[in-house]
Amino acid sequence: MRLPSSTIIQLLQILLVCLLQRPSFAVKKSYVVYLGAHSHGPALSSSFVDFNQVTQSHYEFLESYLGSHNTAKDSIFYSYTRHINGFAATLEEEVAAEIAKHPKVLSVFKNSGRKLHTTRSWEFMGLEHKGIIPSTSIWKKARFGEGVIIGNLDTGVWPESNSFSEEGLGPIPSKWRGICDNGVDHTFRCNRKLIGARYFNKGYASAAGPLDSSFESPRDKEGHGSHTLSTAAGNAVPGVSVFGQGFGTAKGGAPKARVAAYKVCWPPVAGDECFDADILAAFDEAIHDGVDVLSVSLGGSASSLLNDSVAIGSFHAAKQGIVVVCSAGNSGPADATVENLAPWHLTVAASTMDREFPAYVVLGDDITFKGESLSAARLEQKLYPIIKATDGKLGSARTEDAVLCQNGTLDPKKVREKIVVCLRGINARVDKGEQALLAGAVGMVLANDRASGNEIIADPHVLPASHINFTDGTSVFNYINSTKFPVAYITHPKTQLGTKPAPSMAAFSSKGPNIVVPEILKPDVTAPGVSVIAAYTEAQGPTNQVFDKRRIPYNSLSGTSMSCPHVSAIVALLRASYPSWSPAAIKSAIMTTATTLDNEVEPLLNATDDMSTPFGYGAGHVQPNIAMDPGLVYDTTIGDYLNFLCALGYNETQISVFTEGSSYVCRKKFSLLNLNYPSITVPNLSDSVTVTRTLKNVGSPRTYIAHVQNPNGITVSVKPSILKFRNVGEEKRFKVTFKIMKGKATNNYVFGKLIWSDGIHYVRSPIVVKALTSRN
C-alpha cells in the first residue's frame, strides 16, 4: 500500500525533529564556571538585589554555548548569586573547554571531591590543656567570644548535643541573616547558640547519583562536624568523658560564640566526601549570612588557586573581613603534601598535647611498653597467648594483608582467646580491632610502622587494645619470634596529664613546601590535633564502623581537622577583642606569637624524635594568650592579594572581575616574595635577593630591634634594623637581604628566623631559603 504524500512528509518531519533532538552520547561531567565577583555593592545588605535576575544571566551565558535556554537551565544545578559569581553545571568536556576561553571567565574546573581531615578517613576538647588554654583574663577580655559567629563547613551538626545548648546566651546578633534549613528533618532545631544550619548536596549528587530524602538535612550522621564545631565554640558541659577517660568539663575555645553549620560533606563516593560545587555554594551563603569566622576542616589535591573551591571561597570571605581557617591535611610525614595553600587563609598543622591515655603492654618476660587506648573493655588480670597477625592468618590470605589485620585475613582457629599484633597502615586503626574481635581474639596490640614512628593515638577500640610506637612494636615482634610460648597482658587505659615532651608534631600532619606557590610557607601554624575530645553524633558508634552499636555523646578524634577549630576559636577571641582588625592582622598575631619550643623548652620534635622544621609547624605552635598582645602585625590588603594574583600571571582583565566591575591596573614588577606575609620564603635564591615587609603597630609606642637567626649557608641582613613606633596604626617598612655564603650553601631548604623585639614583645617570622646551587 502506498502512503499518501502528506503522510510521508509528516513522517519525514518527525524524523528530522528526532535527529535534531537526538541525545548526545558525549560524556557529561559536572563543572564549576567561575566568573569572579558580583557588583551588587551596598544593595547586597538590603533586599534590593534580585538574585533571580543573576541566575537568569547565568542561564543566558550558558545558552550562548548550548543553543537552548531550557537546556542551559537544566544543566545548571547551582547559580552563585551573592558574593561569588559563577555557576555549577553538567557539561560536555568540549563545551567546558570553550567556556574557559571566554575573556571574562576566570576558570572552569571539574566538580572534584575532597576529604575530611580526620585520620580515621585515611587509615583511620577544645583548648583544655596546658600551653593552649586561654587564661581567664584573656577569655574575659574577649567576652568568651560573645558576639562572634563561627561558621563550619563540614558534615553538619548534632543539634541535641549539650555543647550547643543556648544556656547563658542572650539574643542572636542582629547582623545575622542566616536561616535554619532543616529540610525534611523536623526534629532538627536551632537556638540562640546554634543560630543557623544549611545543607548542600547537589554537587555530591552529580557524582553519587540520585539521593533519597535522608540527604535533605543538615544533621551530622558522621560525627566529624559536631566534633569540630564544639571544639571551636562548644558551650561548657561538665562531667564529660570517653568511657571514663579524660573526665572534666568540655568547653570550646570560644564558648560564648554563636555557631552555624554548613553541611557539605557526605558518605564517601570513591573516597571523596565533599565536592567543590557544594563548597562554593556554602561559602557564598555563609558570607551573606554574616559569619565572622569560617572553619574548614577538609581539603583535596593541590591545584592552582583559581581552580580550588576553598581558595576561591576564602578569597571572597577575606574581602568581606571574614577569617577562614583551614586544615593542612593528613598526608604526612612526606614533604610537599600540605593542602589549602592560598595566602589569604590560615592553614593549620596538627601536633600532640600534654594529655595521654596510657594502656601498657606487659610481656611474659616482664618487659612493659607504654601505649595508648580508649578501650571500654578490659581484660582479666592474667597473661594471654600473643600472636603476630601473620601467624594467625587464613591460608588464603596474603601476608601483606594479614600483617595489617585487613578484612577477612585472620583465622579464628589460630587467634581465638589470644592477643593479636597488627601493623598500622592502610585500613582504619579501629577496623583492625574489629577484625581481631570477629576472629575471636581477646585483645590487640597495634604497632606503628616506621613512617608513623612515635605517634600513638588513643582510639575507642571495641576490644582491649594498646597502640604502641615503632621501636616498641619491633621489640614485641622480636619477643614473639624468640619465645616458644609468648604471652602478654594489656592494662586498662588511664588518663595522664602534664606529659612531657609536648607538643610534638603528628606523623600524619601534612608538610610543606607549598607546591603551588613555593614563595608562601604552608602550613602557617600548628595546634592540638591528636586525641581531642569533643561532641559527637549519636547516629553512629565512636568508631564509625557498622559493627559498632555503642553510642556516646563525646568522642576522641585525631587529625588536622581537629587542630583547625582550635585556631578558629583563637580567631574568634581576637575578633571579639579587636573587631576592627583585618583577617591578615589576626592571622599575623597568631603566627608571630607562635612558639617552636615544647614544654621542656626544647625544639619541637617530629614523630621520629628528630627536630621538626617550618615545613611541619609553620610559624610554630599557637599561643592564644600571647596572640592577644602581639605588639606588631604584618597587615595585608585585598589590593596586595590582587597584585599577588597579577604576579602569578593573571591579566588585568581577569583581575578586574574580582573588583566588582571596576578596572584594575596590576602593579608593575610586583614580586611574589614581597607579599606582606608573616613568614619569608625564598625558594630559588641565586646569589642574593632583597625582599620587603611592612609592620603595623597595634600596641603602645615602642622601639623594636631586629634579631636574625641565619639559615645555614645564608647571610641575612635587615635594614633598617631598628624601628621606632610612636602611634597605634603606624606602619614602617623594612628590607631583608639574603645572600649565599660561597662554599657553604647547599641546594636543600634551610631555615632561620627573624625576630623584632622591644624587650616585651617578640614578633617572630620563620625564614625558609633554598639556594639554586651548592657550587658557590
Side-chain angles (χ1 to χ4, degrees), residues 437-666:
L437 182 66
L438 291 175
V442 296
M444 176 187 69
V445 174
L446 175 60
N448 270 354
D449 57 8
R450 186 181 298 275
S452 299
N454 295 321
E455 175 194 83
I456 53 178
I457 296 173
D459 289 311
H461 295 285
V462 292
L463 80 173
S466 181
H467 182 182
I468 60 177
N469 66 31
F470 172 71
T471 302
D472 293 346
T474 300
S475 297
V476 171
F477 282 121
N478 290 338
Y479 165 74
I480 295 172
N481 290 336
S482 62
T483 306
K484 189 172 183 180
F485 299 108
V487 291
Y489 172 70
I490 300 173
T491 68
H492 193 64
K494 295 182 178 180
T495 302
Q496 186 175 342
L497 303 176
T499 58
K500 294 183 178 182
S504 61
M505 296 309 301
F508 60 74
S509 187
S510 292
K511 295 168 60 179
N514 183 332
I515 65 171
V516 174
V517 190
E519 294 81 1
I520 301 297
L521 175 64
K522 290 289 178 173
D524 293 305
V525 290
T526 188
V530 178
S531 301
V532 177
I533 296 175
Y536 210 60
T537 182
E538 293 188 45
Q540 291 204 43
T543 63
N544 286 73
Q545 303 293 312
V546 174
F547 66 87
D548 193 351
K549 305 303 180 186
R550 302 171 297 174
R551 297 293 184 269
I552 56 176
Y554 290 83
N555 198 11
S556 173
L557 295 181
S558 299
T560 55
S561 279
M562 285 61 252
S563 57
C564 170
H566 280 82
V567 177
S568 300
I570 299 170
V571 169
L573 298 177
L574 282 164
R575 171 61 75 218
S577 300
Y578 306 105
S580 65
W581 281 15
S582 70
I586 290 174
K587 176 179 183 175
S588 175
I590 293 171
M591 289 179 65
T592 59
T593 58
T595 180
T596 58
L597 302 177
D598 62 24
N599 57 4
E600 293 183 320
V601 200
E602 295 290 339
L604 289 175
L605 301 177
N606 60 24
T608 55
D609 280 344
D610 295 319
M611 284 180 55
S612 188
T613 73
F615 284 158
Y617 53 64
H621 192 276
V622 292
Q623 300 189 104
N625 294 332
I626 302 176
M628 295 295 158
D629 181 23
L632 306 174
V633 295
Y634 293 91
D635 209 353
T636 311
T637 67
I638 294 299
D640 293 327
Y641 293 139
L642 295 178
N643 285 322
F644 171 84
L645 290 171
C646 291
L648 284 179
Y650 295 95
N651 61 49
E652 292 177 346
T653 300
Q654 293 171 310
I655 299 299
S656 295
V657 177
F658 278 117
T659 58
E660 301 182 356
S662 59
S663 60
Y664 188 80
V665 178
C666 287

Side-chain angles (χ1 to χ4, degrees), residues 753-764:
K753 192 175 291 185
L754 168 63
I755 305 171
W756 288 95
S757 179
D758 61 354
I760 298 174
H761 304 91
Y762 295 86
V763 186
R764 303 178 182 90

Side-chain angles (χ1 to χ4, degrees), residues 113-407:
R114 296 170 182 267
K115 294 179 174 67
L116 296 166
H117 282 161
T118 176
T119 59
R120 191 173 55 218
S121 298
W122 292 76
E123 46 117 335
F124 174 98
M125 155 109 122
L127 308 177
E128 297 274 342
H129 82 101
K130 184 179 179 182
I132 189 169
I133 181 171
S135 65
T136 301
S137 62
I138 292 298
W139 252 336
K140 286 182 177 178
K141 178 182 178 181
R143 305 187 313 280
F144 300 89
E146 176 63 57
V148 177
I149 302 171
I150 300 177
N152 195 40
L153 272 64
D154 213 297
T155 62
V157 67
W158 189 260
E160 292 82 6
S161 171
N162 289 334
S163 288
F164 306 116
S165 164
E166 64 181 11
E167 182 179 352
L169 295 175
I172 293 172
S174 59
K175 64 182 179 182
W176 179 245
R177 293 185 296 201
I179 61 173
C180 189
D181 182 2
N182 59 10
V184 300
D185 186 353
H186 302 303
T187 64
F188 187 105
R189 292 183 176 87
C190 296
N191 56 29
R192 296 195 309 276
K193 176 68 174 180
L194 175 62
I195 62 175
R198 297 179 187 266
Y199 61 94
F200 306 85
N201 60 23
K202 294 176 183 178
Y204 174 78
S206 71
L211 307 177
D212 61 37
S213 62
S214 67
F215 289 85
E216 302 299 318
S217 168
R219 181 175 292 278
D220 179 13
K221 298 178 181 177
E222 199 273 352
H224 190 277
S226 302
H227 196 280
T228 54
L229 194 52
S230 63
T231 298
N235 216 334
V237 182
V240 167
S241 72
V242 177
F243 298 122
Q245 305 301 327
F247 184 87
T249 297
K251 183 188 298 182
K256 296 298 181 184
R258 313 307 171 96
V259 297
Y262 298 86
K263 182 169 184 173
V264 296
C265 300
W266 307 87
V269 174
D272 294 323
E273 301 157 293
C274 328
F275 284 78
D276 285 326
D278 297 328
I279 292 168
L280 277 178
F283 265 108
D284 202 33
E285 293 288 0
I287 297 168
H288 186 69
D289 286 345
V291 301
D292 300 293
V293 184
L294 274 171
S295 193
V296 186
S297 289
L298 56 86
S301 301
S303 60
S304 63
L305 299 184
L306 297 192
N307 286 348
D308 182 326
S309 60
V310 175
I312 292 170
S314 59
F315 180 87
H316 288 271
K319 283 183 66 179
Q320 302 303 317
I322 299 166
V323 185
V324 179
V325 184
C326 301
S327 48
N330 297 346
S331 298
D335 288 340
T337 51
V338 64
E339 303 168 18
N340 295 322
L341 304 174
W344 42 78
H345 57 228
L346 250 167
T347 306
V348 187
S351 39
T352 64
M353 62 177 80
D354 58 355
R355 179 184 65 193
E356 295 177 352
F357 302 101
Y360 294 88
V361 178
V362 183
L363 301 182
D365 58 3
D366 285 335
I367 295 179
T368 300
F369 301 106
K370 181 181 178 181
E372 287 200 52
S373 178
L374 283 170
S375 301
R378 65 174 72 207
L379 289 172
E380 291 183 36
Q381 196 161 351
K382 65 177 184 179
L383 293 171
Y384 295 83
I386 185 169
I387 186 173
K388 296 183 298 182
T390 49
D391 290 338
K393 76 180 187 71
L394 288 166
S396 58
R398 299 191 310 166
T399 300
E400 55 267 39
D401 296 331
V403 71
L404 300 168
C405 294
Q406 294 211 54
N407 184 27

